Amino acid sequence: MLRVQKVRVDDIYVPAARRKTLHPETVRHLAEDILENGMKTPIQVRHDGKRHILVEGLHRLEAAKWLGETDIDAYLVQAKRH
């Protein structure tokens, strides 16, 4: 079973290929929703021994950054490299 844990936003590495899928307008809308309703679904990260790497939740992560959050709820998952 996955457990939610707090991860520092600045400690999450986003692979370049994943960054290309970012839509700023989606981030803005999501940030507004988070302000009103809170974060509904944690992001997913994997740990490679040195850092956390984003697996799922780019727009939620960027919305959290946009809101000035320092930590974000995340599931630590076992995932293959992309």
Side-chain angles (χ1 to χ4, degrees):
M1 182 170 170
L2 295 174
R3 279 186 341 181
V4 175
Q5 61 183 33
K6 291 282 188 190
V7 176
R8 287 192 41 80
V9 169
D10 292 340
D11 292 345
I12 300 171
Y13 171 74
V14 179
R18 184 135 342 252
R19 275 187 242 130
K20 292 178 184 178
T21 66
L22 185 66
H23 299 284
E25 191 65 20
T26 302
V27 172
R28 188 180 66 77
H29 287 296
L30 190 53
E32 291 171 0
D33 185 65
I34 291 170
L35 275 177
E36 291 178 21
N37 304 305
M39 182 81 68
K40 296 176 186 154
T41 306
I43 65 170
Q44 294 180 22
V45 296
R46 67 180 175 85
H47 198 269
D48 71 352
K50 296 178 268 183
R51 60 187 176 184
H52 289 94
I53 300 171
L54 184 71
V55 173
E56 189 65 44
L58 175 62
H59 289 91
R60 285 172 278 163
L61 175 62
E62 292 301 320
K65 287 179 182 179
W66 195 72
L67 292 170
E69 298 292 331
T70 56
D71 297 313
I72 190 168
D73 288 342
Y75 290 125
L76 184 60
V77 299
Q78 300 296 321
K80 293 180 181 177
R81 291 183 171 165
H82 296 345

